[in-house]
Coordinates of all heavy atoms in Angstrom, one line a residue:
G49 N -13.1 1.5 11.9 CA -13.6 1.7 10.5 C -12.6 2.2 9.5 O -13.0 2.5 8.4
T50 N -11.4 2.4 9.9 CA -10.3 2.9 9.0 C -9.4 1.7 8.7 O -8.9 1.0 9.6 CB -9.5 4.0 9.6 OG1 -10.4 5.1 9.9 CG2 -8.4 4.5 8.7
S51 N -9.2 1.5 7.4 CA -8.3 0.4 7.0 C -7.0 1.0 6.3 O -7.1 2.0 5.6 CB -9.0 -0.5 5.9 OG -10.1 -1.1 6.5
V52 N -5.9 0.3 6.5 CA -4.7 0.5 5.8 C -4.5 -0.7 4.9 O -4.2 -1.8 5.4 CB -3.5 0.7 6.8 CG1 -2.2 1.0 6.0 CG2 -3.7 1.9 7.7
V53 N -4.6 -0.5 3.6 CA -4.6 -1.6 2.7 C -3.4 -1.3 1.7 O -3.3 -0.2 1.1 CB -5.9 -1.7 1.9 CG1 -5.8 -2.8 0.8 CG2 -7.1 -1.9 2.8
M54 N -2.5 -2.3 1.6 CA -1.4 -2.3 0.6 C -1.9 -3.0 -0.7 O -2.5 -4.1 -0.6 CB -0.2 -3.0 1.2 CG 0.9 -3.1 0.2 SD 1.9 -1.6 -0.1 CE 2.6 -1.3 1.4
M55 N -1.7 -2.4 -1.8 CA -2.1 -3.0 -3.1 C -0.9 -2.9 -4.1 O -0.2 -1.9 -4.2 CB -3.3 -2.2 -3.7 CG -3.8 -2.8 -5.0 SD -5.2 -1.9 -5.6 CE -6.4 -2.1 -4.4
A56 N -0.7 -4.0 -4.7 CA 0.3 -4.1 -5.8 C -0.5 -4.4 -7.1 O -1.3 -5.3 -7.1 CB 1.4 -5.1 -5.6
M57 N -0.2 -3.7 -8.2 CA -0.9 -3.9 -9.4 C 0.1 -4.1 -10.6 O 1.1 -3.4 -10.6 CB -1.8 -2.7 -9.7 CG -2.9 -2.5 -8.7 SD -3.7 -0.9 -8.9 CE -4.6 -1.2 -10.4
E58 N -0.3 -5.0 -11.5 CA 0.5 -5.1 -12.7 C 0.2 -3.9 -13.6 O -0.9 -3.3 -13.6 CB 0.2 -6.4 -13.4 CG 0.7 -7.6 -12.7 CD 0.5 -8.9 -13.5 OE1 -0.5 -9.1 -14.2 OE2 1.4 -9.8 -13.4
A59 N 1.2 -3.6 -14.5 CA 1.0 -2.5 -15.4 C -0.2 -2.8 -16.3 O -0.5 -3.9 -16.7 CB 2.2 -2.4 -16.3
G60 N -1.1 -1.8 -16.5 CA -2.3 -1.9 -17.3 C -3.5 -2.3 -16.5 O -4.6 -2.2 -17.0
D61 N -3.3 -2.7 -15.2 CA -4.5 -3.0 -14.4 C -5.3 -1.8 -14.1 O -4.7 -0.7 -14.0 CB -4.1 -3.8 -13.2 CG -5.3 -4.4 -12.4 OD1 -6.3 -4.5 -13.0 OD2 -5.1 -4.7 -11.2
A62 N -6.6 -1.9 -13.9 CA -7.4 -0.7 -13.5 C -8.4 -1.1 -12.5 O -8.9 -2.2 -12.4 CB -8.0 -0.1 -14.7
I63 N -8.8 -0.2 -11.6 CA -9.8 -0.4 -10.6 C -11.1 0.4 -11.1 O -10.9 1.6 -11.5 CB -9.4 0.1 -9.3 CG1 -8.2 -0.7 -8.8 CG2 -10.5 0.1 -8.3 CD1 -7.6 -0.2 -7.5
K64 N -12.2 -0.2 -11.1 CA -13.4 0.5 -11.5 C -13.8 1.6 -10.6 O -13.5 1.6 -9.4 CB -14.6 -0.5 -11.5 CG -14.5 -1.6 -12.6 CD -15.7 -2.5 -12.6 CE -15.5 -3.6 -13.6 NZ -16.6 -4.6 -13.6
E65 N -14.4 2.6 -11.1 CA -14.8 3.8 -10.3 C -15.7 3.3 -9.1 O -16.6 2.5 -9.3 CB -15.6 4.8 -11.2 CG -15.9 6.1 -10.4 CD -16.5 7.1 -11.3 OE1 -17.7 7.0 -11.6 OE2 -15.8 8.1 -11.6
H66 N -15.4 3.9 -8.0 CA -16.2 3.6 -6.8 C -16.0 4.7 -5.8 O -15.3 5.7 -6.1 CB -15.7 2.3 -6.1 CG -14.2 2.3 -5.7 ND1 -13.2 2.2 -6.6 CD2 -13.7 2.5 -4.5 CE1 -12.1 2.3 -6.0 NE2 -12.3 2.5 -4.7
S67 N -16.6 4.7 -4.6 CA -16.4 5.7 -3.6 C -16.4 4.9 -2.2 O -16.6 3.7 -2.2 CB -17.6 6.7 -3.6 OG -18.8 6.1 -3.3
A68 N -16.0 5.7 -1.2 CA -16.0 5.1 0.1 C -16.7 6.0 1.1 O -16.7 7.2 0.9 CB -14.5 4.9 0.6
K69 N -17.2 5.4 2.1 CA -18.0 6.2 3.1 C -17.0 7.0 4.1 O -17.5 7.9 4.7 CB -18.8 5.3 4.0 CG -19.9 4.6 3.2 CD -20.6 3.6 4.1 CE -21.6 2.8 3.3 NZ -22.3 1.7 4.1
S70 N -15.8 6.7 4.1 CA -14.8 7.3 4.9 C -13.8 8.0 4.0 O -13.7 7.8 2.8 CB -14.0 6.3 5.7 OG -14.9 5.6 6.6
P71 N -12.9 8.9 4.6 CA -11.9 9.5 3.8 C -10.9 8.4 3.2 O -10.8 7.4 3.8 CB -11.1 10.4 4.8 CG -12.1 10.7 5.8 CD -13.0 9.5 5.9
V72 N -10.3 8.7 2.1 CA -9.4 7.8 1.4 C -8.1 8.5 1.1 O -8.1 9.6 0.7 CB -10.0 7.3 0.1 CG1 -9.1 6.4 -0.7 CG2 -11.3 6.5 0.4
S73 N -7.0 7.8 1.4 CA -5.7 8.3 1.0 C -5.1 7.2 0.1 O -5.2 6.0 0.3 CB -4.8 8.6 2.2 OG -4.4 7.4 2.9
V74 N -4.4 7.7 -0.9 CA -3.7 6.8 -1.9 C -2.2 7.3 -1.8 O -2.0 8.4 -2.3 CB -4.3 6.8 -3.3 CG1 -3.4 6.0 -4.2 CG2 -5.7 6.4 -3.3
Q75 N -1.3 6.5 -1.3 CA 0.1 6.8 -1.2 C 0.8 5.8 -2.1 O 0.6 4.6 -2.0 CB 0.6 6.7 0.2 CG 2.1 7.0 0.3 CD 2.5 6.8 1.8 OE1 1.8 6.5 2.7 NE2 3.8 7.1 1.9
L76 N 1.7 6.4 -3.0 CA 2.4 5.6 -3.9 C 3.8 5.3 -3.4 O 4.5 6.3 -3.0 CB 2.4 6.3 -5.3 CG 2.8 5.3 -6.4 CD1 1.6 4.3 -6.6 CD2 3.0 6.1 -7.7
L77 N 4.2 4.0 -3.4 CA 5.6 3.7 -3.0 C 6.5 3.4 -4.1 O 7.7 3.7 -4.1 CB 5.5 2.4 -2.1 CG 4.8 2.5 -0.7 CD1 4.8 1.2 0.0 CD2 5.4 3.6 0.1
R78 N 5.9 2.8 -5.2 CA 6.7 2.4 -6.3 C 5.9 2.6 -7.6 O 4.7 2.5 -7.6 CB 7.1 0.9 -6.2 CG 7.9 0.6 -5.0 CD 8.2 -0.9 -4.9 NE 8.9 -1.2 -3.6 CZ 9.0 -2.4 -3.1 NH1 8.6 -3.4 -3.8 NH2 9.6 -2.6 -2.0

Side-chain angles (χ1 to χ4, degrees):
T50 299
S51 298
V52 178
V53 179
M54 173 74 67
M55 180 181 299
M57 299 171 66
E58 289 185 326
D61 190 17
I63 296 174
K64 293 180 182 176
E65 186 176 73
H66 61 284
S67 64
K69 296 176 187 175
S70 301
V72 172
S73 67
V74 177
Q75 179 180 359
L76 200 67
L77 297 179
R78 302 176 186 169

